[in-house]
C-alpha cells in the first residue's frame, strides 16, 4: 500500500471525530451568483467585501484558454447579485486577443478596490495585469501591466501585513511548478519578489493561500501534483520561507483557498480527494496542521466543484465562492461554530 493511500484512508477515518467536528457550522445561504451567464463556461472566482457590499469576479468565455475568455464581475446590491458584466479582456489589437485568467479582488485600507488578473496564451506564458476601482467596482481604470517578473496574486487573495505591506502569493508553471511571494509597500507603485521557495521537482506546487499565526509566523497552503496539499512557513513576514512539505490533506491537483478567522483559527476550502474535483469540503484548524471537517459543500460523482475563494466579512460570516460544473459560480455563506 502506497504512502499517499495510507494517509488518505487515515484522514477519511480520523477527520470526522474531535471537538471541532461535534458542532457543525450553519450554512446560512447557498445560491448561484447568476443563473444564465453570457458565456458557455466560467471558472476561478474571487470575492471581496467593500463598503458597498460584496463583489465577485471570475473568468468566462467559450472555454478556458479560448481567446474570448474575459474577466466578469457582479456586485451584491440589496441582497441580490447584479447581472455579470465584462470588466477586462485580453484584446491587444483589432486582430490579436489572448485569454484572461484567475482574477483576484483585494481592497486595502485606502479604499481603492484592486483587480488583479493574468493575460496570455497559457499559464506558462501569461503576464500580470491590474485595474483599480474608486467606487467599489462600479467603474474601473484602464488596465496596466505589472512590472516584469511580477505576476501579482496568482489565484488567492493578498494579505495586509502588520507593517502595512501587501503580500501576494504567486507561482509560475514554465520551469516546473514553483511558488514565490511578491509584496508592495506603497500600494502597488513598486514591487518586490522572493526567489522560488521550492524546486518544482520534489514538490510541484502552485496557488498558495497565506495564513497568520501567533508570533508573526505565516503559513502558506496550496495545490500540488503530489496528491496532497503543501505547506510552508515564514518567520519574517514572508521575506524568507522554510522548506516546503506535504500535509496529510489530499489534493486532486486542484486549487484551494484558506483564511485566518478573527478568532485566530484557520479555515480551509478544498477537494477532499486525490482524484477528481469532488467533493468540495470545508475544514477548520486551531494550529494550521491538525484539521477537522466542518461541512461538505458539494458531493456529486464525476462533476467539478472547484477553485474556491473564501473571506470572512465584518459581521463574522464566512463567504465562499466556487466553480459549479464550469457552468456557474456559486456563493455559500457559513456561520463558523
Amino acid at each position: 500500500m502506497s504512502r499517499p493511500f495510507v494517509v488518505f484512508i487515515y484522514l477519511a477515518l480520523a477527520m470526522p471525530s474531535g471537538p471541532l467536528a461535534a458542532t457543525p457550522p450553519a450554512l446560512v445561504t447557498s445560491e448561484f451568483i447568476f443563473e444564465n451567464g453570457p458565456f458557455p463556461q466560467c471558472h476561478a472566482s474571487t470575492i471581496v467585501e467593500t463598503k458597498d457590499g460584496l463583489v465577485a469576479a471570475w473568468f468566462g468565455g467559450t472555454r478556458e484558454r479560448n481567446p474570448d475568455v474575459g474577466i466578469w464581475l457582479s456586485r451584491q446590491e440589496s441582497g441580490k447579485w447584479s447581472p455579470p458584466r465584462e470588466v477586462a479582456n485580453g484584446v491587444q489589437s483589432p486582430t490579436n486577443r489572448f485569454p484572461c485568467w484567475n482574477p483576484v479582488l483585494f481592497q486595502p485600507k485606502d479604499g481603492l478596490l484592486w483587480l488583479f488578473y493574468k493575460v496570455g496564451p497559457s499559464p506558462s506564458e501569461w503576464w500580470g495585469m491590474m485595474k483599480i476601482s474608486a467606487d467599489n467596482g462600479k467603474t474601473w481604470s484602464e488596465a496596466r501591466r505589472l512590472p516584469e517578473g511580477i505576476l501579482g496574486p496568482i489565484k488567492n487573495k493578498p494579505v495586509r501585513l502588520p507593517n502595512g505591506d501587501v503580500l501576494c502569493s504567486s507561482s509560475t508553471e514554465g520551469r516546473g511548478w514553483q511558488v514565490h511571494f511578491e509584496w508592495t509597500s506603497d500600494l502597488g507603485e513598486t514591487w518586490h519578489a522572493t526567489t522560488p521557495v521550492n524546486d518544482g521537482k520534489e514538490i510541484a506546487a502552485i496557488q498558495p493561500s497565506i495564513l497568520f499565526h501567533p508570533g508573526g509566523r505565516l503559513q502558506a497552503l496550496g495545490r500540488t501534483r503530489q496528491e496532497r496539499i503543501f505547506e510552508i512557513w515564514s518567520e519574517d513576514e514572508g521575506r524568507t520561507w522554510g522548506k516546503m512539505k506535504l500535509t496529510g490533506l489530499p489534493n486532486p491537483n486542484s486549487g484551494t483557498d484558506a483564511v485566518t478567522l478573527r478568532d485566530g483559527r484557520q479555515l480551509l476550502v478544498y477537494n477532499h480527494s486525490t482524484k477528481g474535483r469532488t467533493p468540495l469540503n470545508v475544514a477548520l484548524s486551531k494550529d494550521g496542521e491538525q484539521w477537522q471537517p466542518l461541512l461538505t459543500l458539494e458531493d456529486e460523482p464525476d462533476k467539478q466543484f472547484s477553485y474556491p475563494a473564501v473571506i470572512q466579512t465584518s459581521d463574522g460570516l464566512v463567504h465562499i465562492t466556487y466553480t459549479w460544473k464550469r457552468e456557474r459560480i456559486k456563493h455559500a455563506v457559513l456561520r463558523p461554530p
Side-chain angles (χ1 to χ4, degrees):
M1 184 179 289
S2 67
R3 183 181 177 187
F5 183 75
V6 171
V7 171
F8 176 73
I9 291 297
Y10 170 79
L11 284 167
L13 294 172
M15 284 187 66
S17 64
L20 292 176
T23 308
L27 179 63
V28 180
T29 60
S30 181
E31 62 181 348
F32 293 113
I33 291 180
F34 54 88
E35 289 291 340
N36 298 295
F39 35 73
Q41 290 192 6
C42 58
H43 192 40
S45 63
T46 176
I47 187 169
V48 69
E49 181 185 28
T50 74
K51 295 178 181 178
D52 291 338
L54 298 173
V55 180
W58 57 90
F59 71 70
T62 300
R63 63 182 60 86
E64 185 174 334
R65 295 178 182 258
N66 205 73
D68 71 353
V69 172
I71 304 301
W72 294 78
L73 180 140
S74 179
R75 301 172 63 251
Q76 196 179 64
E77 301 167 329
S78 302
K80 295 184 179 181
W81 290 99
S82 63
R85 62 186 179 93
E86 191 180 60
V87 295
N89 60 51
V91 172
Q92 309 296 301
S93 71
T95 59
N96 188 23
R97 177 171 176 165
F98 290 112
C100 292
W101 310 75
N102 295 14
V104 178
L105 290 164
F106 177 70
Q107 189 168 46
K109 290 181 179 179
D110 69 347
L112 297 176
L113 180 60
W114 297 2
L115 171 64
F116 296 95
Y117 59 102
K118 274 64 65 185
V119 174
S122 69
S124 62
E125 299 176 272
W126 63 25
W127 56 89
M129 300 290 293
M130 182 180 182
K131 284 190 168 191
I132 294 174
S133 173
D135 53 14
N136 297 316
K138 297 183 182 72
T139 61
W140 291 90
S141 69
E142 292 295 318
R144 67 180 176 92
R145 185 165 176 167
L146 294 174
E148 188 69 26
I150 300 295
L151 292 172
I154 218 67
K155 173 193 172 293
N156 297 322
K157 57 196 173 296
V159 297
R160 194 76 182 262
L161 298 176
N163 66 4
D165 289 357
V166 175
L167 180 65
C168 301
S169 54
S170 196
S171 55
T172 57
E173 301 183 30
R175 298 180 179 178
W177 283 15
Q178 293 181 294
V179 168
H180 70 276
F181 296 86
E182 303 169 356
W183 70 93
T184 175
S185 303
D186 51 16
L187 297 176
E189 293 300 316
T190 58
W191 289 87
H192 310 274
T194 69
T195 57
V197 298
N198 63 307
D199 62 11
K201 299 175 182 178
E202 181 181 359
I203 300 177
I206 55 174
Q207 301 173 351
S209 299
I210 302 171
L211 299 174
F212 292 91
H213 288 270
R217 301 177 74 213
L218 299 178
Q219 179 189 23
L221 299 169
R223 169 183 178 180
T224 76
R225 284 176 164 164
Q226 277 69 42
E227 298 187 344
R228 283 187 279 164
I229 291 174
F230 80 81
E231 69 171 353
I232 192 168
W233 295 78
S234 173
E235 308 287 341
D236 57 5
E237 298 190 315
R239 300 300 189 264
T240 62
W241 294 80
K243 182 175 174 57
M244 182 178 290
K245 65 178 183 179
L246 297 174
T247 71
L249 293 170
N251 181 253
N253 189 7
S254 185
T256 67
D257 196 15
V259 66
T260 301
L261 300 179
R262 219 169 289 132
D263 62 11
R265 294 178 297 171
Q266 314 297 345
L267 187 142
L268 172 69
V269 190
Y270 71 111
N271 296 110
H272 191 85
S273 171
T274 57
K275 305 293 182 184
R277 295 179 173 185
T278 187
L280 185 63
N281 305 83
V282 183
L284 190 68
S285 174
K286 291 181 178 180
D287 59 7
E289 297 187 275
Q290 301 298 319
W291 295 90
Q292 298 289 340
L294 290 183
L295 184 70
T296 299
L297 292 168
E298 303 280 356
D299 188 6
E300 185 177 348
D302 302 320
K303 301 297 181 182
Q304 181 181 146
F305 310 101
S306 62
Y307 265 58
V310 59
I311 61 171
Q312 185 178 31
T313 47
S314 55
D315 58 7
L317 295 176
V318 170
H319 294 257
I320 302 167
T321 58
Y322 56 93
T323 300
W324 189 87
K325 302 181 181 180
R326 290 271 179 159
E327 299 170 6
R328 305 178 202 173
I329 301 299
K330 204 165 189 181
H331 171 224
V333 184
L334 310 182
R335 182 176 289 108

